Amino acid sequence: GMVEEAKDGIREIVRELLATTGAPAFQDDYDEEGDETDLGVVADDSFSSPYGFTGFQPERIPPDLLAKSSGVLRANNGKALKEVLDEYELQGIGHDGMAADDISQGGGHYREVTKVGSFLEGYRKAEERRVARETASMLLDRLVKEGVKGLDSLLAGMVREGDDASYMNVDGGAGELNGALVRYLEEAIREQEQRVKKETRNSEASEKANGRDDARSSDDKDDEVDLVWNVTRGDDGTIIETIDPNNPVVGQMLREELEKTTSDYIEGEMLQQGHTLLETMTVQEKMLLLIRLLRDRVKVEAVVGNDEHARNLRILAYCLKAGNEEERHQLIMEGLGNSLDSLDIFSDLVTASIDFAEARSNDDFMPGNQRKTAVSPVLNVSKLQKIKIIVERIKAKQTWKASGASP
């Protein structure tokens, strides 16, 4: 399938790079294949070395040759590249025979394969990081402009690790949801945690200093804030998008996230705790929360996937978080409203959720607990029942319209 296509693309670029080394067997292989495809002259001019066995020289490689190969080199998390390099290493050993690395005796081929392999692996890792950085930038931009809902809609349409389309995604411009992105965000979180610790130490030190030192400390903080968003800088260093953690829209999103995360640990006081925490948080702490929020959503999206079941789970989650009936109705209509089949499947999911929540909150499950306790603050039976009613109303209306009886 597509993995084999990616490997074919990698073989082509490895073959071209090996031809530039002047290693006799690799140059012969390249010229022969060029003749077979009527491209012998192009092959000689482009990649075959006219200077004899010069060895691999990265500076001679045209930049556009690598750029157009970014997608295939990153295919299957680099495994496709490794498998192709293994093939060529075996070829190199075969070409060298007893001569090994002795060029004068016709050897040195294996060593050139290892040089080309190291070069391509280094380029692959740099490209993987570039795509992860640009994807993180795009996601952060959507998160602060449209909130979690906007972020989720963007994530839903992104290329995932293992998707066929990812091998044809030459430059990763559309964003890629994969392990490299999660690793990049984890690294960003660790760096931001260090900034928060540094800020705390500076704050404690400034309390013992005079007001002039306090002012200087504040300026330092402003400089540090800019560093957090290196992910939003272009290749030339220009800022693509400025993210202000004190923006009211961002503040509201962070407050909701705090309320949600603290609800698992603090019952009854979660709303108050959420407000209190946000008011006392520094800019750097807000930024840390924002990156953690993004990391968590990316992880969930990577697991949940993008099929019909995942979409229904996402709609149900939004409905449970919605503030009123009107919002829930709008969410269901936007996601499912035109398809009776989709509404039926979603209705079954809601019914199953109600059954599960009721069973788990039954006293028989927790004999030591006299009052009924919901299995989760999210699986609220009352809200689920309201969602079920809305779905049934929409289904009835759609059925009525389909029958032609609607005025």
Side-chain angles (χ1 to χ4, degrees):
M2 295 297 289
V3 178
E4 284 306 315
E5 280 187 41
K7 282 185 175 180
D8 287 342
I10 296 169
R11 288 186 189 103
E12 179 69 16
I13 187 172
V14 170
R15 193 173 60 80
E16 290 172 348
L17 294 185
L18 287 172
T20 68
T21 67
F26 290 140
Q27 192 154 342
D28 289 346
D29 289 347
Y30 186 81
D31 292 343
E32 284 172 17
E33 190 162 334
D35 291 338
E36 288 170 13
T37 56
D38 299 325
L39 291 172
V41 176
V42 176
D44 288 339
D45 290 347
S46 299
F47 296 104
S48 294
S49 172
Y51 309 111
F53 198 155
T54 58
F56 181 58
Q57 298 173 330
E59 64 276 8
R60 289 183 56 209
I61 308 306
D64 61 326
L65 173 69
L66 292 172
K68 71 181 183 184
S69 305
S70 172
V72 292
L73 289 172
R74 290 181 288 110
N76 209 16
N77 206 21
K79 290 176 185 173
L81 173 60
K82 185 180 184 308
E83 288 174 15
V84 170
L85 289 173
D86 287 345
E87 293 172 11
Y88 275 90
E89 283 182 1
L90 288 173
Q91 279 186 35
I93 292 169
H95 289 318
D96 290 342
M98 297 300 288
D101 292 337
D102 189 341
I103 294 173
S104 65
Q105 298 297 314
H109 294 81
Y110 172 78
R111 174 175 280 185
E112 295 308 312
V113 176
T114 60
K115 288 180 188 174
V116 167
S118 296
F119 173 74
L120 287 177
E121 179 59 19
Y123 180 77
R124 182 193 72 79
K125 286 182 177 176
E127 280 294 278
E128 191 178 71
R129 185 172 177 80
R130 176 188 67 80
V131 173
R133 184 179 68 241
E134 291 176 1
T135 302
S137 173
M138 181 168 59
L139 294 173
L140 280 168
D141 184 41
R142 180 68 69 93
L143 179 61
V144 297
K145 283 183 176 174
E146 300 181 24
V148 173
K149 185 179 177 183
L151 172 67
D152 280 348
S153 69
L154 180 60
L155 287 170
M158 282 176 61
V159 172
R160 283 163 172 70
E161 197 161 34
D163 284 356
D164 287 350
S166 65
Y167 307 132
M168 308 311 291
N169 188 11
V170 175
D171 61 1
E176 292 178 16
L177 188 60
N178 51 28
L181 175 59
V182 174
R183 288 192 296 274
Y184 181 82
L185 291 171
E186 295 280 12
E187 183 184 326
I189 287 169
R190 284 193 295 273
E191 289 177 2
Q192 186 60 16
E193 284 171 342
Q194 291 303 312
R195 289 193 182 98
V196 169
K197 286 178 185 175
K198 180 183 174 186
E199 183 185 53
T200 303
R201 287 195 299 270
N202 290 347
S203 177
E204 289 170 355
S206 68
E207 286 176 6
K208 300 174 184 176
N210 58 35
R212 189 177 58 188
D213 286 340
D214 286 345
R216 184 170 53 80
S217 174
S218 176
D219 291 340
D220 289 344
K221 284 180 194 174
D222 288 340
D223 291 339
E224 282 179 18
V225 168
D226 200 35
L227 294 174
V228 176
W229 302 112
N230 285 338
V231 291
T232 61
R233 289 182 179 276
D235 292 336
D236 58 353
T238 55
I239 296 174
I240 297 167
E241 187 67 43
T242 302
I243 297 171
D244 178 11
N246 289 319
N247 180 306
V249 176
V250 178
Q252 176 62 27
M253 181 169 57
L254 293 176
R255 181 173 285 109
E256 289 170 1
E257 183 63 15
L258 277 171
E259 288 165 7
K260 188 175 67 184
T261 54
T262 54
S263 67
D264 294 337
Y265 313 103
I266 307 163
E267 291 188 12
E269 296 183 57
M270 54 186 163
L271 192 65
Q272 185 61 38
Q273 287 288 331
H275 281 281
T276 306
L277 277 169
L278 187 64
E279 297 308 318
T280 57
M281 284 173 77
T282 64
V283 168
Q284 298 288 12
E285 287 169 334
K286 289 175 184 174
M287 297 247 186
L288 178 57
L289 184 65
L290 205 58
I291 304 172
R292 280 178 175 160
L293 168 60
L294 177 58
R295 186 268 319 269
D296 291 343
R297 303 302 277 207
V298 166
K299 275 187 169 180
V300 168
E301 192 68 33
V303 172
V304 168
N306 194 29
D307 56 15
E308 185 179 52
H309 183 61
R311 180 200 63 193
N312 288 340
L313 285 172
R314 198 174 292 114
I315 293 170
L316 180 57
Y318 282 136
C319 286
L320 286 163
K321 282 193 229 172
N324 54 52
E325 301 298 291
E326 188 178 336
E327 282 184 30
R328 292 187 184 109
H329 186 276
Q330 186 178 348
L331 283 164
I332 296 168
M333 283 299 294
E334 285 176 358
L336 310 162
N338 295 322
S339 168
L340 274 171
D341 287 342
S342 296
L343 286 166
D344 279 336
I345 294 168
F346 183 69
S347 180
D348 290 343
L349 173 64
V350 178
T351 302
S353 301
I354 292 170
D355 292 343
F356 175 75
E358 285 181 338
R360 291 292 291 147
S361 60
N362 191 300
D363 289 345
D364 294 341
F365 273 82
M366 291 165 280
N369 194 343
Q370 294 304 310
R371 65 185 180 87
K372 289 192 176 185
T373 307
V375 62
S376 154
V378 175
L379 282 181
N380 182 304
V381 175
S382 173
K383 282 186 180 178
L384 286 167
Q385 288 170 337
K386 288 176 182 176
I387 294 167
K388 175 77 174 173
I389 292 168
I390 293 171
V391 177
E392 294 307 320
R393 280 180 187 158
I394 295 173
K395 277 173 61 180
K397 190 171 182 181
Q398 294 295 76
T399 304
W400 186 256
K401 278 185 179 178
S403 70
S406 180

